[in-house]
Amino acid sequence: MQKQMLPHPTAAVAPVPPMLVSCGSVQQPNLVTAAWCGTVCSTPPRVYISLRPERYSYPLIRESGEFVLNLPTRPLLTAVDWCGMNSGRDYQKFDQMGLTAAPCSHLAAPQIAECPLTMECKVFQLIPLGSHDMFLADVLAVHVAPELIENGVLRPDKANLISYIFGRYFATGDMLGTHGFTGR
């Protein structure tokens, strides 16, 4: 396979989930779209989000030490893009996008009722990295729509989730296999 070198290095590992990250409170909720996020550990369950310090949500998360990862579906694509392009300084994003700020079980931060899978996260470390700072967090609870549970197994592939690749959004595709299928 022939390859060519890009003129500048990039850290754009793709695809990634564009998360709607909620913070604040149910009474004063805020949203920010974050594509730099993911899993850092299985046991204990830990995740990260990376945000620019100038984002409106940054001090809300830093001061409260909590946020909620809301995995958006294809019908929420407009909200994902709009919340990433507009600031909570200027708009009440939940209202603008017609979303419902629902209470969480362990946090003051709200979850998005319209997202079928949400993760309550408590920050345990903040790491300054350059353009973005990384919030490392423990996952305290996961809320899942009943239609995503099949025979006791979580099936996020049935949620119509979206992905983000180099500035473009895509629908998730067909399941191609399960972990360990080559060893069976």
Side-chain angles (χ1 to χ4, degrees), residues 18-22 31 68-77 79-80 94 98-102 110-119 142-148 159 161-162:
M19 295 283 189
L20 282 169
V21 179
S22 50
L31 291 169
V68 180
L69 290 180
N70 300 275
L71 278 78
T73 58
R74 198 174 195 169
L76 295 171
L77 179 59
V80 169
F94 273 87
L99 298 173
T100 308
Q111 61 180 302
I112 301 172
E114 292 79 6
C115 285
L117 196 131
T118 60
M119 302 165 73
V142 178
H143 303 269
V144 182
E147 60 269 19
L148 299 185
L161 299 173
I162 55 178

Side-chain angles (χ1 to χ4, degrees), residues 144-167:
V144 182
E147 60 269 19
L148 299 185
I149 304 290
E150 188 175 278
N151 299 321
V153 176
L154 175 61
R155 292 291 308 270
D157 55 301
K158 294 185 172 285
N160 205 9
L161 299 173
I162 55 178
S163 63
Y164 182 77
I165 304 172
F166 301 118

Side-chain angles (χ1 to χ4, degrees), residues 14-100:
V16 294
M19 295 283 189
L20 282 169
V21 179
S22 50
C23 55
S25 65
V26 173
Q27 298 77 22
Q28 293 185 303
N30 190 59
L31 291 169
V32 62
T33 300
W36 305 152
C37 55
T39 303
V40 293
C41 188
S42 299
T43 308
R46 291 182 160 174
V47 295
Y48 78 93
I49 59 169
S50 291
L51 296 177
R52 293 179 180 270
E54 60 269 16
R55 296 300 297 255
Y56 179 73
S57 297
Y58 181 97
L60 297 175
I61 295 170
R62 186 189 66 226
E63 290 164 18
S64 69
E66 57 185 47
F67 61 87
V68 180
L69 290 180
N70 300 275
L71 278 78
T73 58
R74 198 174 195 169
L76 295 171
L77 179 59
T78 298
V80 169
D81 191 64
W82 191 89
C83 289
M85 299 301 298
N86 292 282
S87 175
R89 288 181 190 92
D90 304 320
Y91 298 97
Q92 208 307 334
K93 294 181 181 183
F94 273 87
D95 291 345
Q96 288 289 134
M97 292 292 101
L99 298 173
T100 308

